[in-house]
Amino acid sequence: MREIPRVVIVGGGFGGLATAKALKHSPVEVILIDRTNHHLFQPLLYQVATSVLAPGQIGSPIRGILGKQQNASVILGEVTGIDKDRRCVIVNSADRADVPVPYDYLILATGVTHSYFGHNEFEKFAPGLKTLADAVAIRNRILSAFELAEAEEDPVRHRDLLTFVLVGAGPTGVEMASAIAILVRNTLAREFRRVNPRTARIILLDMAPRVLGTFAEGLSESARDRLQALGVEVRLGHAVEQIDADGVVVAGERIASKTVIWTAGVAPSPAGKWLNVATDRAGRVRIQPDLSVPRHAEIFVIGDTASLDQDGKPLPGVAQVAMQQGRYAGDLIHQWVIDGPAPKPFRYFDKGNMAVVGKNFAVLQSGKIHLGGFVAWLAWAGIHLQFLGQSSLRLSVFVQWVWTYLTGQRGSRLIVNHYGPERTKQEPTEAPAQLISSNK
Ligand SMILES: Cc1cc2nc3c(=O)[nH]c(=O)nc-3n(C[C@H](O)[C@H](O)[C@H](O)COP(=O)(O)OP(=O)(O)OC[C@H]3O[C@@H](n4cnc5c(N)ncnc54)[C@H](O)[C@@H]3O)c2cc1C
């Protein structure tokens, strides 16, 4: 071990950042490695995808967040493997490949990616929502659909372009569907002349029998009623059979659509493969009650990419779990290096779950408290503001929300393709589209 022990943290999301901060006053060297330069507040990604917020309002440079923490440094790079025997992580950066970065303690907090449940061919036609690039690509798709429709003569193409399908009725699907409904019925409706955005169809699909399946049944029902009041068609109980350039097939019926968004499954990062250790069925690393990997007391896996049961049930993949585990791992390492007493095994304190369904309505479940409506919506807004990384973001998001609430105007409705033209490109139609004729 080095004279000053080195803690390498892979991932600057909720878990990794919480560990780094917990080690602020420890006699250790912290190296945080992330493949992006920013910490992302994923719970508000759907607001970037639906033009309420700009990307810069929900992401902060990790280097800036840790700027005042003298014992922490940040490396922009992608971890591709781990050598447990030599105790180093293998990192690729923009100009160097396979660079070993040695550690004394290692924290893996690499989160999840999309899972298409064995149908990876769906990805090309139904992008998921996980990163800022995903959110901007989806925003481009939604806004481009209206632009194409406005310039299109063929009413059949209007229908296909203005049909938006979301696959997966968990919190992300519900929040996206309701936000698209408000975008098209309020903001866009005023600005288009040749198509009527109010006629857009928004369809939310799930194979489960109810929306927001992790919430109590009463809250699921009120969320579904609210979605329907916003004009969202909710179709449950059937798995999607096909997704292609022309739309989706569900329960044998084809729904023609040029914009399909995947809000269904997630798969963990390859941390289990890097470590070559036991995983659960989803591929998440099975960890011990002190969050370490069996037979490797110096390696911890936390957050979405870890699997730990509490009271007979697996902990959910939510930000609170990742943050509490991050803090715990940091405290544990601190106690070790100062020869202090080891903390008790990790225990998750569940503060509750929330999902927002359009304007003025959210559902909130915390212990025996089940709330649906305006009060829950206020609580949702307050808590999300509180958890945003930096005070400048809190102020900027608050001002934007008030402005959007009062005027219906959105923060960012630009179609910008520099994040990934492949994903934003509309698939070509078989018949050439009819553009605005010259006599109109
Ligand atoms: C759209 C959406 C909405 C959500 N809404 C909510 C919500 O309302 N409430 C809630 O509690 N939770 C919500 N979640 C879940 C929550 O965001 C996650 O549970 C949480 O982010 C998990 O934290 P983490 O640290 O495990 O991973 P993440 O926060 O995902 O961080 C992982 C980090 O690791 C980095 N990384 C990954 N692989 C590598 C690699 N190979 N090399 C280097 N860096 C790497 C990534 O760039 C990322 O910065 C939502 C998630 C999404 C996608």
Side-chain angles (χ1 to χ4, degrees):
M1 187 160 319
R2 267 155 281 272
E3 203 173 311
I4 298 179
R6 178 185 287 174
V7 183
V8 171
I9 301 170
V10 187
F14 285 104
L17 213 48
T19 308
K21 287 179 177 173
L23 289 166
K24 185 171 183 181
H25 301 295
S26 290
V28 295
E29 176 195 9
V30 176
I31 297 182
L32 191 150
I33 305 171
D34 201 296
R35 62 185 172 196
T36 70
N37 81 332
H38 52 266
H39 167 73
L40 177 61
F41 192 76
Q42 289 170 353
L44 292 180
L45 261 180
Y46 84 94
Q47 296 211 349
V48 173
T50 54
S51 298
V52 179
L53 297 174
Q57 290 175 297
I58 65 162
S60 324
I62 300 170
R63 194 174 292 291
I65 298 171
L66 295 178
K68 289 191 180 144
Q69 185 168 332
Q70 291 304 327
N71 68 349
S73 49
V74 180
I75 291 179
L76 178 66
E78 171 139 28
V79 168
T80 56
I82 290 159
D83 187 333
K84 286 187 290 183
D85 299 330
R86 285 169 58 215
R87 292 198 176 187
C88 56
V89 294
I90 312 300
V91 186
N92 282 355
S93 61
D95 61 350
R96 287 191 298 165
D98 299 333
V99 180
V101 177
Y103 63 82
D104 297 306
Y105 300 101
L106 175 63
I107 312 282
L108 293 175
T110 37
V112 288
T113 180
H114 317 293
S115 166
Y116 288 83
F117 305 124
H119 286 283
N120 290 346
E121 72 276 12
F122 291 173
E123 184 174 9
K124 186 171 167 213
F125 309 105
L129 183 62
K130 191 78 189 78
T131 64
L132 270 185
D134 293 337
V136 174
I138 289 173
R139 183 181 81 192
N140 286 346
R141 274 198 179 214
I142 295 171
L143 297 176
S144 298
F146 283 95
E147 297 299 336
L148 289 170
E150 180 81 340
E152 170 65 55
E153 290 293 309
D154 179 358
V156 175
R157 283 261 303 162
H158 282 168
R159 186 202 61 193
D160 300 358
L161 284 164
L162 298 191
T163 298
F164 301 90
V165 178
L166 295 109
V167 184
T172 304
V174 166
E175 292 180 342
M176 274 290 290
S178 53
I180 296 175
I182 291 175
L183 170 72
V184 303
R185 313 240 192 277
N186 295 355
T187 313
L188 299 185
R190 298 189 281 256
E191 299 173 4
F192 285 80
R193 303 287 176 263
R194 300 168 54 84
V195 290
N196 180 1
R198 286 200 180 88
T199 60
R201 287 177 77 197
I202 299 140
I203 304 169
L204 181 62
L205 306 174
D206 203 301
M207 62 192 287
R210 58 192 177 95
V211 303
L212 299 180
T214 54
F215 285 73
E217 215 164 321
L219 291 178
S220 288
E221 274 167 26
S222 49
R224 181 183 175 153
D225 292 346
R226 187 70 181 182
L227 283 164
Q228 285 170 337
L230 289 169
V232 176
E233 297 173 37
V234 182
R235 299 197 189 181
L236 303 169
H238 296 284
V240 165
E241 292 149 28
Q242 171 82 26
I243 305 180
D244 54 33
D246 297 319
V248 305
V249 177
V250 62
E253 181 198 343
R254 175 167 281 282
I255 302 172
S257 166
K258 292 292 169 202
T259 310
V260 182
I261 301 164
W262 186 261
T263 51
V266 289
S269 74
K273 289 191 187 118
W274 296 336
L275 294 169
N276 193 19
V277 293
T279 59
D280 66 7
R281 279 200 315 178
R284 299 181 306 164
V285 176
R286 284 218 178 273
I287 52 172
Q288 310 200 96
D290 70 351
L291 314 185
S292 68
V293 171
R295 289 183 296 286
H296 284 278
E298 76 286 5
I299 303 178
F300 300 85
V301 183
I302 59 171
D304 281 5
T305 210
S307 168
L308 182 67
D309 289 356
Q310 182 168 300
D311 304 330
K313 283 194 233 147
L315 291 177
V318 294
Q320 276 300 325
V321 171
M323 287 161 78
Q324 291 178 28
Q325 290 186 334
R327 273 182 231 124
Y328 178 93
D331 289 346
L332 183 66
I333 293 172
H334 177 76
Q335 292 303 332
W336 278 351
V337 294
I338 63 162
D339 281 330
K344 289 183 194 152
F346 174 78
R347 192 151 179 91
Y348 170 55
F349 174 59
D350 185 358
K351 295 180 186 164
N353 291 319
M354 287 190 260
V356 67
V357 196
K359 196 175 176 181
N360 293 341
F361 191 96
V363 290
L364 181 160
Q365 182 171 332
S366 177
K368 288 189 180 149
I369 301 170
H370 291 186
L371 267 183
F374 184 65
V375 175
W377 183 74
L378 280 181
W380 174 90
I383 288 168
H384 280 69
L385 278 179
Q386 186 198 339
F387 277 100
L388 267 168
Q390 289 176 311
S391 31
S392 57
L393 296 188
R394 283 195 280 277
L395 180 65
S396 144
V397 169
F398 176 71
V399 170
Q400 182 62 55
W401 279 355
V402 172
W403 183 251
T404 301
Y405 189 87
L406 296 176
T407 66
Q409 288 172 18
R410 306 265 158 163
S412 179
R413 278 176 39 205
L414 309 181
I415 300 172
V416 273
N417 279 323
H418 55 270
Y419 285 101
E422 286 309 314
R423 285 193 163 185
T424 59
K425 209 169 80 182
Q426 296 285 342
E427 290 301 315
T429 47
E430 278 175 20
Q434 299 173 30
L435 288 180
I436 297 174
S437 56
S438 52
N439 59 356
K440 278 234 171 181

